[in-house]
Amino acid sequence: MGNRAAGKHPRHLKFRPYVDPISVRPSRPADRGYYYKMFKNSVALIRFTLEDNGFREAIGQNQEWSIMWSVSSMKSEMYQFLTKYQKINHFPRSIEITRKDCLCKNITKMQSLYGYRHFDFVPRTFVLPQEFPLLVEAADNSVNKFWIVKPAASSQGRGIFVTNNIAEIPSNTQLIASQYINDPLLVNGYKFDLRIYLAITSIEPLRLYTYEEGLARFATCKYSAPIMGNKGNRFMHLTNYSVNKHNTNFVSNEDPRADGVGSKWSLTALKKHFESCGINCELLWRRVDEIMIKTVLSIEPLIKSSCDMHVPYKSNCFELLGFDILIDLSLIHICRCRRRG
């Protein structure tokens, strides 16, 4: 906890991570005047981290609070009566980046404005049902092309499937259909993606922080390019933990000192593996940072205008985003470095 130093600096809080088992709730902290409020959720990790750092939960509608945590978007009127020292973990209209169809539309807009080559990190994607005729046309031009289809507003792998048959895709449902990436980088024969965390602490000026650690999440069946016989194998084509934990091949990692084994690695372990393969991690992570920055830039004007309209103070909002990034071989060809000696 920080406090005033010589009366010149504002009060601040320095958080420590919650390291005890998530099944153990911290002891009730002393009342220091810091309160949090959970909005339509009860995420234990957030609750326990706040309580472990001296916060108490606000009880009742009228009790003051410093931090409100929500797992869903907030209505604009919830922002309008915030005091200077209250914070909410969402910016208004952050759904523009967290909902798949909105994200696709915003990236497509940036491609039109600034050129495809500057925003080429998203595969060709159609927003359904509006663009279903365009999807049909694209599929007719390449009958052997596979598409990965995802619900527009879902998570944890729910409703995702791979197909090369347009008749299998509902024509009147809110979905996105993306060209399947056939050549992902593999580790030990398995497909994986990166989960990287980025915090937006200010939208004006735009201020972003990337957490140095993260996750590599692995599929649990060895990868083969999609064909009719394997397109339904979710354990091969999807890397979501929520999907793969149900496979008997899933390997839990229980030892933080051995973070490069099992079906989920730390980013630190993955970087060590990349370096042993001659991949230039500095170039690779520079590209990853570029992807995250450009993605946020695609929705910055929308969020700023909404903040100007509804949020009383620039310091009222922050956002924690998890980026899921799939690395394909074309990027690795750029980032692979030669061994010397």
Side-chain angles (χ1 to χ4, degrees), residues 210-223:
T210 304
Y211 189 52
E212 292 182 353
E213 194 54 276
L215 299 171
R217 309 178 306 172
F218 288 83
T220 47
C221 284
K222 288 199 172 184
Y223 177 77

Side-chain angles (χ1 to χ4, degrees), residues 3 36 43 55 58 63 130 166 184 202 217 239 255 272 282 288 297 325:
N3 51 27
Y36 71 91
V43 180
F55 281 75
Q63 185 169 0
Q130 300 95 312
I166 294 300
S202 170
R217 309 178 306 172
T239 58
D255 186 354
K272 290 179 181 177
E282 182 179 351
V288 169
L297 287 175
I325 297 178

